[in-house]
Amino acid sequence: MISVSRTLRRGQIISDIVHTDEQPQGGRPVQWYGGPEQMDQFYPVQRLRFEDYAYIPKELHSSAIVERYWVNSAGVFFYVEKEVPLFIDQDEETLRLTAKKELPYYTYDDTFVFNYRIGVAKNVKEAHLKAVDKVLNKPVDIPDARMVRHPIWSTWVRYKKPISQQTVLDYAKEINDYGFKNAQLDIDDYWENCYGSLIFNPITFPNVTELTEQLKEMGFRVTLWVHPFINKNCQPWYTEAMTKGFLVKSHNESIGYNTKWWNSDENEASYINFNNPAAVDWFRQRLAELRDQGIDSFKFDAGETSWAPADPDVEGPKALLPASMTTSFVRMCAEFGPMIEVRTGWATQDLPVFVRMLDFDTRWGKNNGLQSLIPTLLQMNLNGYPFVLPDMIGGNMYGNDILTKELFIRWLQANTFMPSMQFSKAPWDIDLETVSIAKRFTLLHEEFSDYILQRMRLTVAEGIPVNPPIWWLDPEDEEALKCDDEYLLGEDILVAPVLTEFANKRDVYLPKGTWRDGNSTQVYEGGRWLRDYPAPMDALPYFVKTTFQMR
């Protein structure tokens, strides 16, 4: 591995260029992987385009996972150190890595570094495993097993806000009446008496302990949606946080403590400073009080750096700002155990928790729709986040989005061999045939849940992704290297869902191996295309290695 290191003075700007279109001897095209999570998630990632793009976790473009890591099919990886104030530009031919002391980074010190590492191996698989060992790290344990085996149910898409104690009980009863199992029921937005109080609204939730006891009698664990904001009208909690110095303040006095999020107006909220240990203790204690009411765990939302006021004046190593705010938040969240979920991270691959994909829209395309699901799954796995919690089956139904029966079922199928399944819009909201199909695929997921858990444990031991790209089985296979609509579960299951509206067939590429059709007993040798593989709406194309044995 080669290390490149330079120390620069404030005002200097330096760039190094990676030629993404170069072909090694032999003339094979080079494919690139890793890179940032994006709303329009392309894979391989050389198709992404950036201009003067600050490389930090941020809400813009759904950039919640932005590890500074790229690896290519020639077996070369680049990793830029966390202390570098990194901006990127990317076009058809190059990836430009630029270091400069400009916002959103900390700009008040006199020197900074431009350090990165280059690793070389015989192929992309070996290069990635070397990167996991040297720079990305492995998780120290696996998340909650019940979240793998059975679906998570959320109030969010079905009910939006506000919600009530009776709403939650009615939803739980419907889930049971229709015969579905559960990992937990998540009470989403809006349960607080005001945003940031972390106290239930006594009008809509008159007896929380009674609610959680009833849900547990019905077989549910209970989780709660939590965010890192306090709205200014949320008193006395806002004044308490301000007085004690628990809020993020900008160096820019015209900004001060002000921010905006999706549940506030402009300059009507502030962001908790998780780089301040005293603020972390205060926040943690308030969550513990919710647990005393029977709440089992939490769904933590937001956490990207862009939610805090720009140019933050907070604790911690200055070279790591602002991204260290994401790290501090996520590490605080992880203290609440393996049932939690977060949606962002920065150098937090070691944590044994689910990381949720950001909110998808209810549509088919790559523009944050169903066709973005697999590229996002692969991007997260190849950035070292293998415990992926896909977003709600069917998307979030924002704006004028319409969830059709076909889109719901195809989304469900695409999700089946991912680590976890999450419903909000219920199958019975569509029709009874959809209920039957949903039961079949949640059962199929459950049947393979022991294998998912086995692969999670292998990730802990060896750093192998839970859901690798299909080139993992043959990193020299040019067809596999560019495939963006299939994925693996471990090294034994290949999944090729239908992702196009009105389609009842698709082409499937089988990489090296001997494969048994999951929908029949037919066996195929890999390294070939199956053209026009039939896939009516109730069928998911998937294939299992003939050597596979569930252990």
Side-chain angles (χ1 to χ4, degrees):
M1 191 156 59
I2 302 168
S3 294
V4 179
S5 180
R6 280 160 286 188
T7 300
L8 307 172
R9 297 194 64 80
R10 185 167 48 184
Q12 288 183 285
I13 298 174
I14 189 167
S15 298
D16 285 351
I17 295 175
V18 180
H19 291 277
T20 55
D21 65 335
E22 283 190 347
Q23 298 183 2
Q25 193 170 5
R28 298 193 331 172
V30 174
Q31 310 293 343
W32 287 82
Y33 315 100
E37 182 180 4
Q38 291 282 282
M39 183 171 286
D40 296 337
Q41 191 74 61
F42 290 104
Y43 173 95
V45 299
Q46 69 265 20
R47 290 185 280 171
L48 294 170
R49 297 291 176 262
F50 300 101
E51 183 176 351
D52 198 28
Y53 194 80
Y55 208 73
I56 55 171
K58 53 189 172 184
E59 189 266 344
L60 182 67
H61 306 138
S62 296
S63 299
I65 299 294
V66 288
E67 297 299 327
R68 299 158 165 222
Y69 170 67
W70 294 264
V71 62
N72 71 26
S73 57
V76 179
F77 75 79
F78 290 79
Y79 177 81
V80 181
E81 302 291 353
K82 296 187 290 295
E83 296 80 7
V84 178
L86 179 65
F87 294 78
I88 67 168
D89 296 84
Q90 185 173 330
D91 59 24
E92 295 87 348
E93 300 177 349
T94 61
L95 170 65
R96 180 187 296 269
L97 308 173
T98 299
K100 57 181 179 178
K101 269 294 185 182
E102 293 183 6
L103 292 176
Y105 296 100
Y106 184 82
T107 61
Y108 300 95
D109 43 11
D110 292 327
T111 62
F112 61 100
V113 297
F114 186 22
N115 300 341
Y116 59 89
R117 288 183 256 183
I118 304 171
V120 181
K122 74 175 185 179
N123 59 47
V124 61
K125 178 179 178 180
E126 292 201 6
H128 179 67
L129 289 174
K130 179 182 286 190
V132 169
D133 182 57
K134 300 296 183 182
V135 297
L136 294 180
N137 295 323
K138 297 174 287 192
V140 298
D141 206 344
I142 68 172
D144 180 75
R146 185 166 159 182
M147 293 173 72
V148 174
R149 296 189 189 282
H150 304 308
I152 298 165
W153 298 84
S154 169
T155 61
W156 171 240
V157 180
R158 195 174 200 236
Y159 298 102
K160 290 296 194 291
K161 60 179 183 177
I163 50 176
S164 69
Q165 183 163 334
Q166 192 59 50
T167 299
V168 174
L169 287 171
D170 291 345
Y171 190 35
K173 184 176 185 302
E174 288 182 34
I175 294 165
N176 282 348
D177 286 348
Y178 279 97
F180 283 89
K181 297 179 181 179
N182 76 84
Q184 58 225 35
L185 196 158
D186 179 63
I187 301 172
D188 212 289
D189 191 3
Y190 170 45
W191 57 269
E192 293 174 279
N193 60 0
C194 58
Y195 285 113
S197 71
L198 295 180
I199 292 176
F200 275 91
N201 185 324
I203 297 173
T204 52
F205 288 87
N207 193 327
V208 177
T209 301
E210 180 181 272
L211 168 65
T212 57
E213 288 174 352
Q214 287 179 290
L215 290 171
K216 288 171 185 181
E217 289 173 2
M218 298 167 72
F220 290 88
R221 302 184 298 182
V222 187
T223 59
L224 197 61
W225 172 80
V226 173
H227 57 84
F229 306 95
I230 305 183
N231 285 6
K232 291 184 178 181
N233 64 1
C234 192
Q235 297 293 350
W237 300 276
Y238 184 87
T239 298
E240 178 186 2
M242 174 70 78
T243 302
K244 292 180 176 179
F246 292 165
L247 303 176
V248 175
K249 181 183 180 182
S250 173
H251 285 101
N252 185 333
E253 292 185 1
S254 67
I255 297 175
Y257 296 93
N258 295 324
T259 193
K260 178 184 185 298
W261 65 300
W262 61 91
N263 282 324
S264 82
D265 293 329
E266 193 74 37
N267 298 327
E268 288 301 318
S270 292
Y271 190 86
I272 296 171
N273 179 8
F274 292 96
N275 281 26
N276 178 347
V280 170
D281 289 344
W282 177 72
F283 194 80
R284 186 193 295 123
Q285 177 58 39
R286 295 158 75 225
L287 294 183
E289 292 171 3
L290 287 165
R291 278 188 154 179
D292 292 340
Q293 296 176 273
I295 299 300
D296 293 294
S297 193
F298 303 98
K299 169 187 176 176
F300 291 99
D301 214 345
E304 299 85 9
T305 65
S306 56
W307 295 114
D311 197 11
D313 182 8
V314 297
E315 297 80 354
K318 303 307 182 186
L320 299 180
L321 291 174
S324 63
M325 295 191 297
T326 293
T327 305
S328 299
F329 174 65
V330 171
R331 291 197 178 280
M332 182 281 301
C333 298
E335 293 177 9
F336 285 89
M339 272 183 69
I340 69 115
E341 63 172 272
V342 295
R343 74 175 208 181
T344 187
W346 195 69
T348 51
Q349 295 97 327
D350 59 304
L351 298 177
V353 299
F354 274 108
V355 182
R356 177 174 63 86
M357 298 179 186
L358 256 66
D359 295 16
F360 278 85
D361 293 305
T362 300
R363 57 177 67 134
W364 288 89
K366 290 185 183 296
N367 56 338
N368 206 43
L370 176 58
Q371 291 172 17
S372 295
L373 189 67
I374 293 175
T376 304
L377 175 75
L378 301 178
Q379 182 270 346
M380 293 177 73
N381 271 268
L382 290 178
N383 274 280
Y385 295 90
F387 304 147
V388 178
L389 176 58
D391 193 35
M392 312 290 180
I393 290 169
N396 284 268
M397 296 183 66
Y398 291 132
N400 296 319
D401 286 351
I402 297 173
L403 179 60
T404 65
K405 175 178 179 177
E406 181 190 16
L407 181 56
F408 183 89
I409 290 171
R410 293 307 195 190
W411 209 301
L412 164 73
Q413 293 167 347
N415 198 156
T416 298
F417 287 96
M418 296 180 189
S420 186
M421 306 183 82
Q422 183 170 201
F423 288 103
S424 184
K425 194 67 174 175
W428 52 93
D429 291 332
I430 299 174
D431 61 21
L432 291 179
E433 182 186 28
T434 303
V435 171
S436 177
I437 293 170
K439 283 184 178 179
R440 180 153 57 87
F441 285 105
T442 54
L443 178 59
L444 181 62
H445 177 89
E446 182 182 350
E447 289 172 351
F448 281 90
S449 61
D450 282 340
Y451 183 61
I452 296 172
L453 290 164
Q454 175 190 321
R455 298 306 301 195
M456 286 182 164
R457 288 187 282 268
L458 190 63
T459 293
V460 172
E462 301 180 18
I464 296 173
V466 173
N467 290 116
I470 68 169
W471 54 251
W472 196 261
L473 299 177
D474 185 359
E476 306 295 336
D477 185 332
E478 291 188 41
E479 294 291 341
L481 286 165
K482 62 187 179 183
C483 180
D484 68 351
D485 60 356
E486 303 177 18
Y487 67 93
L488 298 175
L489 170 57
E491 299 179 11
D492 296 289
I493 319 296
L494 180 137
V495 191
V498 173
L499 306 173
T500 304
E501 190 174 18
F502 307 132
N504 57 17
K505 60 185 177 182
R506 63 157 291 168
D507 295 340
V508 177
Y509 186 74
L510 295 179
K512 182 170 65 176
T514 305
W515 300 91
R516 178 174 290 109
D517 190 332
N519 294 293
S520 72
T521 59
Q522 191 161 352
V523 173
Y524 301 92
E525 285 301 318
R528 59 169 289 191
W529 283 97
L530 301 181
R531 301 293 183 184
D532 294 331
Y533 179 92
M537 190 169 64
D538 64 346
L540 166 65
Y542 75 98
F543 301 81
V544 182
K545 285 270 192 76
T546 55
T547 55
F548 173 70
Q549 291 184 333
M550 192 81 75
R551 293 191 294 273

